[in-house]
Amino acid sequence: MELLPVDFEQLDQEILAALFPIQQQPLLCEEDNLLGHVDLLFEQIMTVDNHQQLTIDEFKLNCTLIRNTLQDLIQLMKNLIHKYIKSICTINRIQYAVNYLIILKDLYETVLELFANSLEQPSPRFQELLTKYSNNEEFRIKAKNIQDINFFGLQHMNHVFTQDTLKQIIRISHHYLTNHDSQALEQKLIVYNSHLNILVRIFASAIDMNKQDIICLNKNHLFWRQIKAISTYTKLSQNSEQISQSYYNFMKSIRIGHAIFLKKSKVKNSLMRDIIFISSSVWYFVLDGRAKLRAMEHMCDMQVESAMSVMGMVEKPGIKHLIEFGITSINNNIKIYIDPVVSPLTLKYMNKQFQKGILNKITNEPLEYVNKSIHYDIKQHKSIMTKDKTKLRIRILSSKSLVKTNSFQQSFFSQIQHEALNYDTFETIIIHFHGGGFISMSSSSHQNYTREWANQLGIPIFSVDYSLAPKYRYPQAVDDCWQAYHWILNHLQYHFNIKPKKIILAGDSAGGNLCCALTGLAIKFGIKVPDGLLLSYPVLDLKMKYSPSHMHGLEDFLLNHTLMDICIDAYTNHPASYEFDPFRSPNHFSDEIISKFPPVRILVGSKDPLIDHSHRLAHTLIKNKRNVKIIVYEGMSHGFLSFYMLGGMKESSKCIEDSIIFLKELISQKKY
């Protein structure tokens, strides 16, 4: 979605310059000469980068120019550290940048060595570079010759690095040499060091990426034509200016929130924090460009604790009640608390399966049921309604009455005696897993659309509050969903007037991951497979590696690259099977399991950093002759189902309407 054609940051600078004029100082001769040379190199890089199709010689020229530019920038920044900068914090930021630039220079040198050598007899320099990064998987390029290079990945990485990070580092270097503003240099480097961090970590995977990966193929390739055939590309409004303004306003509130959080985090006194909240709200509303910079600074320098705090703001009592005021009411909003039903899925078990080579295979293993005396006790009906933080919580939303405690005993014995029940029994339900990067949010924060589902579909929604990382790492969240699924299959009918014959799984973001993981487990163990999946902007691969859409995260205010990294690190637990575990990264499911998947419906934005995940899953499903459809919302990013709330983006109501249409499709599907 296009932003408004106004340079707010430039406007802010003009306002601030008028209020606080900065005395100009003379340029630094040696450093200015270095930067002048960088400018000349950068102009040449841009000339080559603008070509649509590069020859091998042009690739080589571009990589050489970038390598030389990096050499000059490294020298320039070393000079700043040794000659001019006094602040320890600023020196540290510059040193981080230097370290990243050195790694990136080495990676480009490795690529140039691949261009220069057949590597039947590798050069000493190439061997030196391989040895230097032999113990670091992320920085090690596996290509052995020019034929191994993925030129699609290389060209895209060159483009993103030069157009985004390199250009900005040159710009802030100019600003410092002109104004000697070390504070501004430090603040900007917080943002662009985080960009460098992600770029150096995914560079090697871009070079080594499988050339047959659908993302690398020409858009006219058969695979892409197949995906387009099952895809609908939707604009949320025919008035592009209106939708841009609406999206911009919604993102502005998020930017201001991040900027305020950054400012408050530097003050411990609670009274001062409240004063800062009020004053900063006005300040950042007027100076939106400043808010954008501070928001990016905060997002790029987040730790897991601050990420959890920011994402969890919607769970704070005041904000929570405000959101509830603006969403539709629901007749029944019940919370139940359940005990485990089967033996838990543990990391030890998953690793053992991986070592045996059967983790990604259908095994039909017998399940060990636990807590039988609890689950089949009539008194248990009352206990599941009692709040218990040690148990798994499930929220049940329903527009129609659910028969509860008073009818339980009658229901239980009627089942045994095969007598006809004197009330309607629900036979279709939706099980929902919320998003939040595995580290935040709950069933409560997603009620703006789950209540709409319950009201418009007239069926119960079971929203599972699975355990959150980093306190509970993988596979705890998967196990919680697994336990909830078994409880619903085996015990739900004894507590409510619900005997599910058709179960649809629905999840957004991390919840989409859990939907796929649960489906894979049901197929693997040979139990009832869900009858359909609704996946909204799902995260399907938890390996931090190159994918073109991930680059949207460099500027995204909802799913920024640092936040993605935090969530992955908090959740994954890094066992031996990490990269290949399909219950962690469902896009790695084997064809044996994928071929048993039920119908799948996907909602995703064209600017979502995770859209490549959805396209890869769709391709795998099509290849295995499964039923799949996608809606792509043009210009939209991540999380749009939650945009429709008080003070949100009203146009995103169409996304909720489309999700209901997809759910109706899945419900009406005959046995697949």
Side-chain angles (χ1 to χ4, degrees), residues 242 246 643-645 648-654:
Q242 172 194 324
S246 182
F643 290 5
Y644 186 63
M645 60 178 67
M649 185 179 176
K650 62 181 182 180
E651 293 85 357
S652 64
S653 62
K654 176 163 176 48

Side-chain angles (χ1 to χ4, degrees), residues 304 307-309 311-312 315 389 391-393 433-446 464-481 510-511 514 566-567 569-572:
V304 66
M308 291 169 66
S309 297
M311 295 175 71
E315 302 283 348
K389 291 185 178 180
K391 297 182 179 182
L392 175 61
R393 186 176 74 183
F433 305 129
H434 66 82
F438 304 102
I439 66 171
S440 185
M441 300 192 185
S442 70
S443 61
S444 175
S445 55
H446 290 64
V464 180
D465 283 310
Y466 54 86
S467 303
L468 300 176
K471 184 177 181 180
Y472 300 101
R473 293 176 178 265
Y474 174 86
Q476 185 61 58
V478 177
D479 183 61
D480 284 348
C481 298
L514 295 170
I566 286 170
C567 294
D569 187 57
Y571 176 66
T572 52

Side-chain angles (χ1 to χ4, degrees), residues 310-347:
V310 172
M311 295 175 71
M313 285 295 288
V314 291
E315 302 283 348
K316 300 293 183 184
I319 297 176
K320 186 176 180 179
H321 293 148
L322 183 63
I323 291 173
E324 286 184 359
F325 177 77
I327 63 178
T328 187
S329 61
I330 187 78
N331 288 338
N332 294 277
N333 190 340
I334 302 166
K335 287 173 274 190
I336 63 173
Y337 302 82
I338 67 166
D339 291 285
V341 179
V342 294
S343 293
L345 298 169
T346 64
L347 191 59

Side-chain angles (χ1 to χ4, degrees), residues 400-441:
K400 299 178 181 179
S401 295
L402 298 177
V403 179
K404 301 192 288 293
T405 307
N406 293 337
S407 303
F408 171 68
Q409 189 167 354
Q410 175 192 347
S411 172
F412 182 80
F413 285 110
S414 295
Q415 291 288 340
I416 295 174
Q417 297 168 15
H418 304 286
E419 296 177 2
L421 303 179
N422 59 0
Y423 49 78
D424 291 335
T425 301
F426 293 100
E427 294 186 341
T428 300
I429 66 168
I430 294 170
I431 303 177
H432 169 256
F433 305 129
H434 66 82
F438 304 102
I439 66 171
S440 185
M441 300 192 185

